[in-house]
Amino acid sequence: MHFHGSNLESLHKHLPPEILPKYLGGHLSDSNEDYNSKILSKDSYFEDINKYGYLPKF
């Protein structure tokens, strides 16, 4: 878990501006539809970053 506060440059090191709404320094409108479709189109990116950190215990 990362906390960025108002440091959007720090946020953009972890999440590209192409998938973020304008109020987070991104390229998307503030519409949830735009945001949701971009996030869903980046499934492989999120699958890759989920490989780091702690493994779930099942």
Side-chain angles (χ1 to χ4, degrees), residues 25-50:
H27 299 229
L28 301 177
S29 70
D30 293 334
S31 160
N32 283 340
E33 291 175 27
D34 233 4
Y35 179 72
N36 290 342
S37 67
K38 275 293 190 182
I39 289 290
L40 292 173
S41 75
K42 301 289 184 181
D43 274 347
S44 63
Y45 171 77
F46 288 103
E47 287 172 3
D48 287 343
I49 65 171
N50 280 331

Side-chain angles (χ1 to χ4, degrees), residues 4-17 20 24-26:
H4 305 281
S6 61
N7 184 349
L8 295 179
E9 288 181 24
S10 172
L11 173 65
H12 296 160
K13 289 179 184 176
H14 301 278
L15 296 171
L20 294 172
L24 292 175

